[in-house]
């Protein structure tokens, strides 16, 4: 059956360090993958979209990689700040552009 | 990024009543919108795909007569929870997909609607 796993439920890092979040999937062949940020009680906020023929994408302090051989996407936040604390979700696109979401990783950036 | 609005943000209703939630894409036309439900400490679960001018397609296990979806224009989709019961209490979130251009396929989400059924 199809499965999406995000590395851990919670990740604590120090301010200024790079946070790396992992999204692994099985029994999927997504045409593209999206990363979102979600704060408590709010809808997800779009961060980055990466397609199957792209290896890497960047936006400001964010970087995402997509390895279709390993069936894995990595999401990096460099120079992390306390304001980056949130839950981060990866979502894989299937037929009909439907998104299936991972369980999320709760990131906490400490001073 | 593009903006998607939802209204109302919060609703409390009595068991047996119907509740309508609106989802609007404010700065782009969306031929496809999606409706999700999220329970506490869980991820988003897709309920249905809303296509402008045609019937919605529902995910397995979602009752189409209970969750009525209408996508009457390229910027508006509505979800009506009919005869709501306490087990329908949840956080409902819509998204709109950018159909073409540099941001094609991106789904932008609304802020969500918290439904509480007493």
């Amino acid at each position: 059956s199809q499965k999406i796993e995000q590395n851990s439920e919670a990740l604590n890092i120090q301010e200024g360090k790079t946070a790396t979040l992992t999204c692994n999937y099985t029994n999927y062949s997504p045409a593209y993958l999206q990363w979102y940020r979600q704060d408590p009680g709010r809808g997800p906020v779009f961060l980055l979209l990466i397609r199957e023929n792209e290896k890497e994408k960047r936006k400001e302090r964010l970087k995402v990689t997509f390895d279709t051989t390993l069936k894995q996407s990595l999401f990096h936040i460099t120079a992390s700040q306390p304001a980056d604390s949130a839950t981060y979700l990866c979502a894989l696109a299937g037929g009909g552009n439907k998104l299936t979401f991972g369980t999320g990783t709760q990131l906490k950036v400490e001073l | 990024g593009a903006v998607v609005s939802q209204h109302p943000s919060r609703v409390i209703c009595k068991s047996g009543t119907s509740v309508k939630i609106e989802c609007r894409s404010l700065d782009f036309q969306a031929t496809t919108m999606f409706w999700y439900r999220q329970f506490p400490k869980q991820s988003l679960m897709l309920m249905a795909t809303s296509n402008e001018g045609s019937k919605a397609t529902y995910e397995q296990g979602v009752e189409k007569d209970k969750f009525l979806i209408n996508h009457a224009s390229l910027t508006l989709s509505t979800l009506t929870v009919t005869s709501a019961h306490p087990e329908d209490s949840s956080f409902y979130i819509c998204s709109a997909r950018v159909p073409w251009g540099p941001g094609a396929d991106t789904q932008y989400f609304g802020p969500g609607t918290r439904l509480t059924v007493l």
Side-chain angles (χ1 to χ4, degrees), chain A residues 21 23 33-35 47-51 54-59 61-67 72-77 90:
Chain A
L21 284 66
C23 178
L33 183 154
Q34 302 190 48
W35 282 88
L47 297 173
L48 283 165
L49 181 154
I50 187 165
R51 300 189 186 276
E54 297 173 317
K55 295 290 185 193
E56 180 181 299
K57 225 165 196 188
R58 292 174 186 258
K59 184 170 85 172
R61 292 185 297 113
L62 309 179
K63 183 177 88 171
V64 64
T65 62
F66 192 9
D67 189 325
Q72 180 183 77
S73 175
L74 299 178
F75 178 78
H76 306 272
I77 306 174
C90 73

Side-chain angles (χ1 to χ4, degrees), chain B residues 13-73:
Chain B
C13 69
K14 289 183 180 177
S15 189
T17 60
S18 293
V19 173
K20 182 188 276 191
I21 303 170
E22 289 188 351
C23 177
R24 293 180 186 273
S25 58
L26 298 185
D27 46 11
F28 68 99
Q29 293 184 329
T31 51
T32 307
M33 291 184 171
F34 301 88
W35 287 95
Y36 296 80
R37 184 163 53 180
Q38 187 175 33
F39 291 106
K41 305 262 186 227
Q42 293 186 27
S43 198
L44 284 77
M45 294 296 294
L46 179 65
M47 297 174 65
T49 303
S50 171
N51 297 297
E52 188 267 337
S54 65
K55 286 184 181 179
T57 54
Y58 292 81
E59 294 302 297
Q60 196 169 9
V62 177
E63 299 174 58
K64 61 181 181 183
D65 295 329
K66 174 114 182 115
F67 299 99
L68 300 179
I69 291 171
N70 185 276
H71 193 154
S73 77

Side-chain angles (χ1 to χ4, degrees), chain A residues 54-111:
Chain A
E54 297 173 317
K55 295 290 185 193
E56 180 181 299
K57 225 165 196 188
R58 292 174 186 258
K59 184 170 85 172
E60 296 171 358
R61 292 185 297 113
L62 309 179
K63 183 177 88 171
V64 64
T65 62
F66 192 9
D67 189 325
T68 55
T69 302
L70 289 178
K71 294 187 182 293
Q72 180 183 77
S73 175
L74 299 178
F75 178 78
H76 306 272
I77 306 174
T78 58
S80 58
Q81 305 163 1
D84 294 326
S85 299
T87 296
Y88 290 85
L89 303 167
C90 73
L92 275 59
N97 294 294
K98 295 187 212 178
L99 292 181
T100 302
F101 280 83
T103 49
T105 296
Q106 192 170 354
L107 174 67
K108 187 173 179 184
V109 181
E110 296 165 330
L111 292 168

